[in-house]
Each structure stands twice: as C-alpha cells, then as structure tokens.
Amino acid sequence: MPGTRAIPPFSVVTGTEVRRVLDGDERAVTAVVEQAYRIHGDGDTVNPPSYFLRFPDRPSSRIIALPASLGGESGVDGLKWIASFPENVEAGIPRASAVLILNDQLTGYPFAMLEASVISASRTAASAALAADWLTRERGRPARIGFFGTGLIARYIHTYLTANGWDFTEIALHDLSAASVDGFSGYLARAGSRAEIVRHDSAESLIKSSDLVVFATVAGTPHVTDPSWFAHNPVVLHVSLRDLAPEIVLAATNIVDDVEHCLKAGTSVHLAEQRTGNRDFVHGTLFDVMTGKVHPPADRPLVFSPFGLGILDLAVGRHVHDRLAAEGALSPIPGFFADVTRYG
C-alpha cells in the first residue's frame, strides 16, 4: 500500500559468516534446495538465462550473471555474480569467486550482499545430493562412488552426501592433477571416511568400477566418448555438464534441473540436441521425479545434468541471511543509500 514502503537496511555478509551458518547445516540446506526446486516446478519463480561475460584474451575464464526471483514464503529477488578463472588453481587459490545480491520484493532495494562462493558450492552439492537420493530410490543406494575431478566442488558433494546419510564402501578418485587427488584423499581421512580409497590412472577404470559417478571438472568440451564404459548402468551426477560425448547422452536416461536452461551453452545435452535435432532424449526434470511424473528405469545409465539455477543461490542466501538476522548477527551499513528523498 502507498505510504507503507521503507528502504530496508543493507548488510554485507562475509564468507566467514556464511561458512559459520552453513557448516554442519547440510541437511537443512538440502531441504531448502528441495523446496526451491518445488517452487520452481510449481511456476512461482523467474529464472532467465544466465549471462556469460567472456574475454578474447582469456578464453578459459568467464564471469556469469544469474538473475532470479524466488516465490514462496521467503520470496526474494537477486543476482549471483560468479567468476571462474581456472588458472587460479595453479597459483594455489580457488578457481571461483562470487557475490550474491538479495533484493527486497516490495521496494526493489538490495538488503544484503553475501560472499557467495560457499553458497554456490553448497547449493551445487545440495542439488547433487538431492538428485542422488531421488534417482536411486527405486534402484537402491550405490555403495561405490567415483569422483572424476577432485577439487572443491567434489569435496562439497561428498560432504553433502554423507551428511544426508550416504555410506560408501569404496571411493574411487581420478584427476589430471595428482596433487588434487592427494588433497582430496587428505580431506577424506580428516572427515573420518571408512571407505576404501582407490586411485585410478584412467577415466575408464574409474567409471567401470563405480555405481555412482560424479563429474566435477572444468572441461569445456566432451572428453569421455565411449558408451561401453557405462554398460553397468551407473547413476551419473554430471555436475560439470560438458564431460560426456553426445553418444553417451543418447544412450542414457537423462534428467535435468531445467530443460531450457540446460540445453544451451555447449553442454553435453545441448550437443546431443544439435546432433539429433530434437529433445526426445531428455526424459524429465528432477521435479518430475520428485512428484512421481517420471520413474527412471534401471536398465540404462542414468545421467543428471544440473545447469545450476539462480533461484537455488537465492534460497540458500536467504537462508543464511535469515539465520544471521534471527541471531542478531547482521551489521547494517549506515548511510549506504545516500540520496533517499526525491527533492533533497
């Protein structure tokens, strides 16, 4: 109503504060992500295409803008601005950095800026753990998992899987960097994993020995091309989106987070669409599985390809903000909005 609107206070939330809220809260975050998927499936979101800022002189790097609007009880608008600079890893710093802006749905004013690399990793891992749960409910949970790519995202996915009750007898690891495998093995030891840790020198041996395969690489084009490696019909969490050749996609049951978002930007499923001229190979979305509309068969490889929706970042970011607000731990910045009257 006119006269009832007010400019909200603006707070900056550091990565340290974000981690304090999210560490150990994996089950709650997974539930937040599931609810966001359900809101999206019910049509109460706005999630336009991501916008890619690329650089001719730095072709491996990019910065992506993910605008979105999430409905529901904790409705919020906003934007994630996330940079991916793979060469950072060689310098000993993380590949990705990000900020998240949360906007008030009544006034449009931003009310928080959060360090978002942890939020982004957490929502990615929660999405993967949620998909692994729903996609194996009729198959039974696999006990042998393989990580192709053993960086930060792989670590978060393992953390979220175990926090949601997964217990593995064997964890297979493969990465082009031996140091990365060493680091991931050290993380598993510190996490108290009782699984047998098996290092693989080839992608083929890792895939063939795993019933749940996680792709968490920075690959820009397909490099896994032989469908016979998947003859044992594993569940594949294709988080990095561009590892699998179209032949593998077309031989599998394919579940995505959002059809329009996932079939673009040179993803493996996008390449499969270009190859066939149709989308018949996409069997449904994770929301379809959760609502019982789709029941993935067990007699084919099952590939989940999540493009990553901005609404998930908003949901997790709002969760962090509201937890800190309830604790009285937010520190609004006085005078952030300076000229707030129309005529001075």
Side-chain angles (χ1 to χ4, degrees):
M1 295 176 59
T4 62
R5 300 186 180 215
I7 297 173
F10 182 83
S11 302
V12 174
V13 180
T14 68
T16 300
E17 293 171 307
V18 171
R19 284 195 61 179
R20 181 174 67 78
V21 172
L22 295 182
D23 283 358
D25 202 32
E26 291 84 7
R27 282 183 177 268
V29 173
T30 305
V32 166
V33 167
E34 177 169 1
Q35 181 61 17
Y37 274 129
R38 292 186 182 277
I39 293 171
H40 184 63
D42 288 336
D44 194 14
T45 63
V46 181
N47 206 110
S50 302
Y51 298 90
F52 288 73
L53 176 61
R54 299 186 183 275
F55 314 98
D57 60 330
R58 292 161 284 160
S60 66
S61 300
R62 63 184 186 268
I63 307 179
I64 312 172
L66 288 80
S69 176
L70 177 68
E73 294 182 1
S74 298
V76 63
D77 305 332
L79 171 77
K80 181 173 75 170
W81 181 241
I82 181 166
S84 175
F85 282 54
E87 283 73 18
N88 286 353
V89 176
E90 297 178 7
I93 61 177
R95 170 186 60 85
S97 59
V99 293
L100 177 69
I101 303 294
L102 302 182
N103 291 76
D104 175 50
Q105 289 195 324
L106 182 62
T107 65
Y109 272 80
F111 61 86
M113 180 177 72
L114 302 90
E115 195 285 328
S117 64
V118 175
I119 289 172
S120 185
S122 297
R123 66 84 152 150
T124 299
S127 169
L130 183 69
D133 176 29
W134 280 97
L135 296 177
T136 60
R137 290 192 177 188
E138 296 182 11
R139 292 177 172 227
R141 284 192 168 184
R144 302 183 304 166
I145 187 172
F147 287 93
F148 193 146
T150 53
L152 182 143
I153 294 299
R155 169 166 66 85
Y156 269 79
I157 291 173
H158 177 268
T159 297
Y160 269 76
L161 286 169
T162 55
N164 281 281
W166 289 73
D167 189 22
F168 302 105
T169 60
E170 181 178 302
I171 300 177
L173 307 177
H174 176 68
D175 197 292
L176 297 179
S177 167
S180 183
V181 175
D182 290 341
F184 195 85
S185 298
Y187 149 74
L188 291 173
R190 293 190 302 274
S193 174
R194 299 172 296 176
E196 179 184 3
I197 310 303
V198 182
R199 296 171 178 239
H200 288 264
D201 293 331
S202 71
E204 179 181 2
S205 62
L206 176 131
I207 293 167
K208 287 184 173 180
S209 68
S210 304
D211 301 311
L212 177 63
V213 182
V214 179
F215 283 94
T217 75
V218 294
T221 56
H223 54 97
V224 177
T225 60
D226 190 340
S228 71
W229 295 0
F230 301 84
H232 58 301
N233 300 326
V235 175
V236 179
L237 303 179
H238 191 201
V239 176
S240 39
L241 290 171
R242 296 171 178 85
D243 303 272
L244 304 179
E247 294 82 359
I248 295 170
V249 171
L250 296 173
T253 297
N254 292 282
I255 303 296
V256 300
D257 55 356
D258 182 281
V259 176
E260 293 299 328
H261 281 77
C262 204
L263 274 72
K264 63 180 58 173
T267 64
S268 293
V269 286
H270 185 207
L271 297 179
E273 179 189 31
Q274 293 175 330
R275 172 79 60 87
T276 62
N278 61 64
R279 298 179 172 182
D280 296 345
F281 59 90
V282 178
H283 297 82
T285 66
L286 182 58
F287 177 75
D288 292 332
V289 175
M290 291 192 297
T291 54
K293 182 179 178 180
V294 171
H295 297 271
D299 60 351
R300 305 179 75 191
L302 176 54
V303 178
F304 175 60
S305 298
F307 196 79
L309 302 175
I311 57 163
L312 304 184
D313 299 283
L314 292 184
V316 177
R318 183 77 200 227
H319 172 74
V320 171
H321 175 274
D322 291 353
R323 281 278 301 275
L324 291 173
E327 297 173 5
L330 292 174
S331 300
I333 300 176
F336 184 82
F337 300 109
D339 200 352
V340 296
T341 58
R342 293 190 69 185
Y343 302 109

